[in-house]
């Protein structure tokens, strides 16, 4: 979380669960879950509000901007560029 003396912007990047599962299978990282059931268990751990865990749901809730990562890499790139173009304006609003 940003402290009161630090200005920051939180960007949430998300995609539907089934798409994230398919992408994780292609990456083949250990621990991501080889079945949708295993993947969902890992997802629940990351979404928890337990302060000792990632708290992904809380991070997404706090986000100032959100990007839908359902498309291909080029679509994600376009959305990130759009976000970066908007970020300076958002920053000046927050500082006033």
């Amino acid at each position: 979380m940003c402290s009161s003396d630090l200005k920051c912007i939180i960007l949430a990047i998300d995609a539907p669960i089934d798409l994230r599962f398919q992408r994780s299978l292609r990456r083949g990282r250990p621990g991501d879950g080889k079945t949708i059931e295993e993947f969902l268990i890992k997802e629940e751990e990351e979404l928890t509000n337990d302060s000792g865990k990632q708290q992904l749901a809380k991070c997404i809730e706090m986000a100032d901007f959100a990007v839908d990562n359902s498309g291909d890499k080029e679509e994600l790139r376009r959305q990130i560029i759009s976000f970066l173009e908007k970020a300076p304006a958002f920053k000046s609003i927050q500082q006033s």
Side-chain angles (χ1 to χ4, degrees):
M1 181 177 233
C2 297
S3 66
S4 59
D5 61 330
L6 178 64
K7 302 294 181 191
C8 66
I9 297 171
I10 299 174
L11 173 64
I13 302 176
D14 200 9
I17 187 92
D18 56 331
L19 181 56
R20 291 196 319 272
F21 175 62
Q22 292 302 318
R23 288 173 176 169
S24 90
L25 286 177
R26 284 195 303 269
R27 282 192 301 267
R29 281 190 236 164
D32 276 352
K34 294 181 181 177
T35 67
I36 188 68
E37 292 80 13
E38 291 173 357
F39 188 81
L40 288 170
I41 290 169
K42 178 79 170 168
E43 180 88 357
E44 281 299 315
E45 290 174 7
E46 293 176 352
L47 291 172
T48 184
N49 285 326
D50 181 342
S51 64
K53 306 256 181 181
Q54 186 161 346
Q55 300 184 17
L56 192 55
K58 189 173 184 178
C59 293
I60 291 170
E61 181 182 307
M62 293 170 44
D64 300 297
F65 294 95
V67 170
D68 177 9
N69 190 15
S70 298
D72 60 16
K73 288 180 183 179
E74 185 55 34
E75 177 58 26
L76 177 61
R77 182 181 170 282
R78 282 192 294 270
Q79 289 188 62
I80 297 296
I81 289 171
S82 175
F83 160 74
L84 291 172
E85 290 171 349
K86 293 175 187 174
F90 182 82
K91 185 177 178 183
S92 66
I93 291 168
Q94 292 295 96
Q95 291 178 350
S96 44

